[in-house]
Amino acid sequence: MSDRNPPGSAGGPALWRLLDQVADAVSGVRAGRSLSDLLPRVPVELRPGTQALASDVLRRLGGAVEVRARLAARTPPPAVDALLLGAIALLWPPPAGQRQAYPDHTLVDQAVAAAQARTPAAAGFVNAVLRRFVRERDALVAAAQRTPVGAFDHPSWWIEKLRRDWPQHWQTLLAEANRRPPLVLRVNRRRRTGADYVLHLAALGLRATLLPDPGGGPTEGSCAVWLHEPRPVHELPGFAEGEVSVQDAAAQRAAPLLLGSGEQALQPGARVLDACAAPGGKTAHLLELADLRLLALDSDPARLARVGDNLRRLRLQAEVKAGDAAQPAGWWDGQPFDAILLDAPCTASGIGRRHPDVRWLRRADDVHAMARIQDQLLEALWPLLVPGGRLLYATCSVFRDEGQHRIDAFLQRHGPGGVSLVPGSPGHLLPVADNVRTVERALPAEDGFFYALLAKN
């Protein structure tokens, strides 16, 4: 949603109603529920504005908590605290290139109105705290930013882990996670080209840029399109007709990597497993690029339904089955696969700008728990490959424990006689300038991912 047309503006829902819903979302995330699970409970007419504002709040929640601790001697009740934190975050000085969505007096007045609806007895307290923050904002923000959590808006364990993993890039990674994400599209190559779609958008008055081909080919053959002004998916030209999907350029690397090219390309009719398929973006991309016998597997039947929905919209076909990839005995028919895509469950630390709630939901020991699951999946799926087959291990994480460390351990367990790392495997892709594959620095950085292509010797 554009800053020029912020939620709560003329013709939209009242801002106090949005702030009320944002407070519930913040409270829910702090209690351990994901924003994706909370948003369906929001009234439909309030959902887009709530999502936009709640995402901004969660990107600044660390600083807001530090400031609120300085303004209130005791922690307020959760319903009041969540409203205060949301309002403080929205009153925060905006990043360079952005402007504050609402004037100070509007935000304060509407937050007080939300307090009167939520907890009437606390309305005066909310008014006093927010007005003091506006008066002393510069000093309070400076004090908050002298703490790591206030400066980087991430939990301290997360900050320290990035500092250890990426001593040259950790601050850039944290800063990138606090930016609003670009809207990147994947054009269905079976329907039209990326260049043609950019021209189609231009004719409709929509600014878009054809990004470098995530598969490494020439840009003019790319299907990755950056839409400069984000908009809801149902408003995307051609979306309902299956011409385009939403998928970051980093995620668009998976299908070309697994399919290969030239003499190393998978043959038509190859048997392929997408082992953790939901919601189906990479499944669909594989089928857009090649004729495959593809099995889309996922352990969550509810999320698996989205795979079927996406395939129907895109007019693609695959076998869709519910099953635990770590337990092949429950679903495998004994016929080996030519290639396997393992987009493994992970902390999602590389896509924090798209899911700013994740940093507040994860705990330090979650990284080790995820690593155990990733090891189990690799060991369970490896025997399902034909000799000479390939497995692409992928995570949307920037933590080494979920990327290079997992592959190093797998290679050590199986030895050079059983497995090899295919030359050119990307490894860790970080959302920093060095990984933007063009000299045009105005293009958006990709999400953080890890890819390793393994060959069965």
Side-chain angles (χ1 to χ4, degrees):
M1 186 170 294
S2 167
D3 281 349
R4 294 192 298 272
N5 183 29
S9 58
L15 178 56
W16 72 264
R17 295 183 64 202
L18 293 175
L19 293 176
D20 182 48
Q21 295 294 328
V22 167
D24 286 342
V26 170
S27 182
V29 168
R30 298 185 84 200
R33 288 172 287 171
S34 73
L35 191 57
S36 298
D37 290 339
L38 294 165
L39 284 172
R41 307 179 188 185
V42 177
V44 173
E45 71 276 12
L46 301 178
R47 201 170 297 163
T50 299
Q51 181 174 8
L53 291 180
S55 295
D56 280 347
V57 168
L58 291 167
R59 292 186 189 103
R60 302 172 189 161
L61 188 59
V65 169
E66 292 291 333
V67 164
R68 193 267 297 137
R70 289 165 169 78
L71 292 175
R74 289 183 290 184
T75 302
V80 178
D81 195 26
L83 179 62
L84 273 178
L85 293 174
I88 291 170
L90 293 172
L91 288 165
W92 204 265
Q98 295 182 21
R99 60 180 181 177
Q100 194 169 304
Y102 307 98
D104 292 344
H105 69 275
T106 300
L107 260 171
V108 173
D109 289 347
Q110 292 294 292
V112 172
Q116 290 171 339
R118 293 170 67 83
T119 51
F125 170 72
V126 169
N127 182 59
V129 169
L130 293 182
R131 291 189 182 281
R132 182 184 167 195
F133 175 59
V134 171
R135 289 195 308 270
E136 304 175 20
R137 179 163 37 202
D138 290 348
L140 288 166
V141 167
Q145 291 181 335
R146 285 194 285 271
T147 69
V149 174
F152 298 109
D153 288 299
H154 282 75
S156 55
W157 71 266
W158 189 302
I159 297 169
E160 185 55 33
K161 186 164 187 61
L162 285 181
R163 192 201 301 263
R164 292 196 305 269
D165 279 359
W166 305 106
Q168 302 299 318
H169 298 301
W170 66 277
Q171 294 188 59
T172 303
L173 296 176
L174 292 166
E176 189 63 36
N178 287 331
R179 298 184 191 278
R180 293 175 181 169
L183 179 58
V184 179
L185 310 176
R186 186 192 75 243
V187 179
N188 184 348
R189 187 170 291 179
R190 292 184 181 269
R191 307 293 300 280
R192 68 195 310 168
T193 67
D196 175 56
Y197 188 70
V198 169
L199 292 175
H200 177 57
L201 292 175
L204 298 174
L206 300 174
R207 295 189 305 129
T209 299
L210 186 65
L211 297 176
D213 183 11
T219 297
E220 56 266 24
S222 175
C223 288
V225 173
W226 169 35
L227 188 61
H228 294 202
E229 294 291 335
R231 58 187 53 233
V233 292
H234 65 270
E235 295 181 8
L236 295 173
F239 180 84
E241 295 77 19
E243 295 182 356
V244 65
S245 302
V246 176
Q247 188 178 46
D248 189 77
Q252 291 187 44
R253 294 194 185 204
L257 277 168
L258 186 65
L259 294 173
S261 60
E263 295 182 356
Q264 302 302 316
L266 282 180
Q267 296 302 304
R271 182 170 161 84
V272 175
L273 169 66
D274 187 351
C276 301
K282 297 179 182 68
T283 304
H285 196 195
L286 286 165
L287 294 170
E288 289 170 5
L289 298 181
D291 295 317
L292 306 168
R293 292 181 294 145
L294 192 147
L295 170 61
L297 183 80
D298 202 271
S299 60
D300 186 339
R303 297 186 73 231
L304 194 63
R306 295 179 60 191
V307 178
D309 292 342
N310 279 325
L311 294 178
R312 283 187 289 273
R313 180 179 62 82
L314 296 165
R315 303 179 193 176
L316 301 169
Q317 291 187 340
E319 181 184 0
V320 179
K321 181 181 291 187
D324 182 355
Q327 302 292 333
W331 52 268
W332 186 41
D333 62 4
Q335 297 298 312
F337 295 96
D338 298 296
I340 295 175
L341 170 60
L342 172 53
D343 188 8
C346 67
T347 59
S349 60
I351 55 174
R353 59 184 181 176
R354 299 187 186 280
H355 300 282
D357 55 329
V358 165
R359 69 193 74 175
W360 308 117
L361 295 172
R362 300 295 186 213
R363 300 293 180 265
D365 56 2
D366 289 342
V367 181
H368 304 294
M370 289 292 183
R372 287 194 296 271
I373 293 171
Q374 291 151 8
D375 285 342
Q376 291 167 4
L377 288 167
L378 279 166
E379 294 297 337
L381 295 175
W382 190 247
L384 278 55
L385 273 178
V386 299
R390 65 190 72 156
L391 182 149
L392 179 63
Y393 172 80
T395 62
C396 53
S397 177
V398 292
F399 294 149
R400 288 185 182 272
D401 281 339
E402 298 184 286
Q404 194 60 55
H405 291 174
R406 300 278 57 71
I407 295 305
D408 289 344
F410 185 78
L411 293 172
Q412 289 175 6
R413 289 196 300 271
H414 289 264
V419 58
S420 59
L421 184 66
V422 175
S425 286
H428 280 284
L429 301 173
L430 305 179
V432 297
D434 289 345
N435 272 20
V436 179
R437 291 165 294 117
T438 174
V439 296
E440 300 176 47
R441 295 307 188 203
L443 294 183
E446 297 178 7
D447 286 341
F449 261 76
F450 177 84
Y451 287 114
L453 186 60
L454 304 171
K456 191 168 189 178
N457 297 334

